[in-house]
Amino acid sequence: MTGDDEGRRTGRRRRLLKAAGLTLAGALVLGIGTVGWAYWHLNSNIKSVDINSALGDDRPAKVTPTPSASQTSQEAPLPTEALNILVLGSDSRSGKENKALGGGSSTGARSDTAMVVHVDAGRTGATIVSIPRDTLVTRPSCPLKSGGSTAVAYGAMFNSAYSVGGPVCAVKTVESITDVRMDHYVEIDFSGFAKLVNALGGVTVTTDQDIDDDDSHLHLKAGTHHLDGKTALALARTRHGIGDGSDLGRIGLQQTLVKALLEQISATNLLTSPTKLYSVTDAITGSLTTDTGLDSLAELMSLGESLKGLSSDRVKTVTMPVVTAPSDPNRVVAKEPAASELWESLR
């Protein structure tokens, strides 16, 4: 073999190695770029409302946790203090998907579902308290984005707070009737809920009675069913096909559905499937409105990480104690002192 042949082969190998290196570098850049784009996309999905600034100091005191002696490292530890989150399901956003699922326009906003999620100190147990939307309350004066404020309303339906003042008024009204500080606010719309269920591969629920509701287009025999997103949403919204047709019957179904969703999420190992993980995260963030304390993917991930010890069997579901309103048989009011005692237990 001549020196020229050896030189040509060496040069060829160098060119091949260079090409392979460039290809690998390109793949890495593309991969990093894709991950970066995905993170940006998911992060930008989230909409937020600055509730703290809007309400100022006119609200229940925030409980400030005392750092333990072990929390002295430079790396910030995961939070373990008790937490109260107001979770609303709404039909507040217009759009083809929401309209197809029965949602209203953005000018006719309603909070279809309201739950106060109380996470115990240590974050290994939780209580979910449903507030019937037909509850008559004293709706406090709420600041408006356009300036000014709403008037105090006596004997107003609870879900009217969202209609007149959006998330800020919903939070203020809940804090007014409970005297419990809401640490965070989370809202998800119709299409987002349906997408989440579909991204998880559906959800399995058991009903103990037949459901026939033409309004929600839901017809289910008593028993166990695996539901897709559209049917699960119909289950969460149905009221005329069960019990006495009141909101209390619907709340029972919603609580069953929440527990089933928690079990489905727990059983789905998202970390083993990046595609499913992205699909679920996109479904959640794409239809989410939060307070500014949860308006980034990093903050949501931190919250999720702090709740990793919370299993579905450690989650209790209850409804705020109510009785029929003296002024209207189709409305309810808080039952005292039971309601006050419940809220006291969450402070």
Side-chain angles (χ1 to χ4, degrees), residues 160-196:
S160 69
Y162 186 95
S163 299
V164 302
V168 170
C169 197
V171 169
K172 186 166 185 180
T173 300
V174 169
E175 292 184 342
S176 175
I177 65 176
T178 66
D179 197 28
V180 176
R181 171 79 168 237
M182 294 298 109
D183 299 293
H184 291 297
Y185 170 83
V186 174
E187 174 191 331
I188 188 167
D189 68 15
F190 283 176
S191 67
F193 178 82
K195 286 178 181 177
L196 173 59

Side-chain angles (χ1 to χ4, degrees), residues 11-25:
R12 189 179 301 114
R13 283 197 298 271
R14 288 174 177 170
R15 287 193 296 273
L16 289 172
L17 288 172
K18 183 178 180 180
L22 289 173
T23 300
L24 178 59

Side-chain angles (χ1 to χ4, degrees), residues 18-345:
K18 183 178 180 180
L22 289 173
T23 300
L24 178 59
L28 287 172
V29 170
L30 180 61
I32 293 171
T34 300
V35 171
W37 177 88
Y39 187 91
W40 173 86
H41 171 71
L42 295 172
N43 213 49
S44 62
N45 271 347
I46 306 167
K47 299 175 177 63
S48 66
V49 178
D50 192 349
I51 291 173
N52 287 336
S53 294
L55 295 183
D57 296 327
D58 184 20
R59 54 194 311 200
K62 181 177 179 63
V63 177
T64 303
T66 302
S68 65
S70 62
Q71 296 178 355
T72 57
S73 62
Q74 291 183 352
E75 182 179 351
L78 288 171
T80 59
E81 73 275 11
L83 198 64
N84 293 301
I85 306 172
L86 175 60
V87 178
L88 292 188
S90 76
D91 64 349
S92 62
R93 297 177 196 166
S94 58
K96 293 182 179 179
E97 291 179 332
N98 273 321
K99 287 182 179 179
L101 293 169
S105 69
S106 57
T107 57
R110 296 170 297 179
S111 56
D112 219 46
T113 304
M115 296 178 175
V116 173
V117 179
H118 172 80
V119 183
D120 298 337
R123 305 201 176 184
T124 57
T127 302
I128 299 177
V129 184
S130 296
I131 303 177
R133 68 175 190 172
D134 294 341
T135 305
L136 298 182
V137 300
T138 296
R139 192 182 69 225
S141 175
C142 299
L144 297 173
K145 289 190 297 184
S146 58
S149 59
T150 65
V152 176
Y154 301 94
M157 274 183 59
F158 168 75
N159 71 337
S160 69
Y162 186 95
S163 299
V164 302
V168 170
C169 197
V171 169
K172 186 166 185 180
T173 300
V174 169
E175 292 184 342
S176 175
I177 65 176
T178 66
D179 197 28
V180 176
R181 171 79 168 237
M182 294 298 109
D183 299 293
H184 291 297
Y185 170 83
V186 174
E187 174 191 331
I188 188 167
D189 68 15
F190 283 176
S191 67
F193 178 82
K195 286 178 181 177
L196 173 59
V197 173
N198 287 334
L200 288 169
V203 62
T204 300
V205 298
T206 299
T207 61
D208 57 8
Q209 61 178 299
D210 295 345
I211 300 175
D212 289 297
D213 188 351
D214 291 332
D215 289 344
S216 65
H217 308 292
L218 182 66
H219 303 279
L220 288 178
K221 293 293 184 182
T224 301
H225 304 273
H226 190 74
L227 309 180
D228 62 10
K230 184 175 182 179
T231 310
L233 177 63
L235 181 68
R237 300 192 67 216
T238 192
R239 65 185 294 181
H240 299 296
I242 54 170
D244 60 1
S246 72
D247 196 39
L248 297 179
R250 172 167 58 183
I251 283 175
L253 291 177
Q254 290 172 347
Q255 293 174 343
T256 297
L257 188 56
V258 167
K259 293 292 289 286
L261 269 176
L262 290 174
E263 291 170 0
Q264 180 69 18
I265 292 172
S266 177
T268 304
N269 192 350
L270 299 176
L271 295 180
T272 62
S273 174
T275 301
K276 177 164 280 192
L277 175 61
Y278 177 83
S279 178
V280 170
T281 308
D282 191 37
I284 294 174
T285 59
S287 301
L288 203 65
T289 299
T290 71
D291 65 284
T292 49
L294 286 179
D295 63 353
S296 74
L297 199 56
E299 288 164 331
L300 288 173
M301 289 170 63
S302 177
L303 174 62
E305 183 69 11
S306 77
L307 299 176
K308 64 182 180 181
L310 179 61
S311 58
S312 60
D313 61 344
R314 296 292 305 276
V315 177
K316 297 182 295 184
T317 54
V318 298
T319 301
M320 183 182 78
V322 294
V323 294
T324 302
S327 61
D328 188 338
N330 295 315
R331 301 289 181 260
V332 296
V333 293
K335 180 181 180 180
E336 296 298 355
S340 294
E341 290 171 352
L342 171 62
W343 298 124
E344 175 66 28
S345 71

Side-chain angles (χ1 to χ4, degrees), residues 1-7 9:
M1 182 182 297
T2 66
D4 290 342
D5 290 337
E6 183 65 26
R9 290 189 179 185

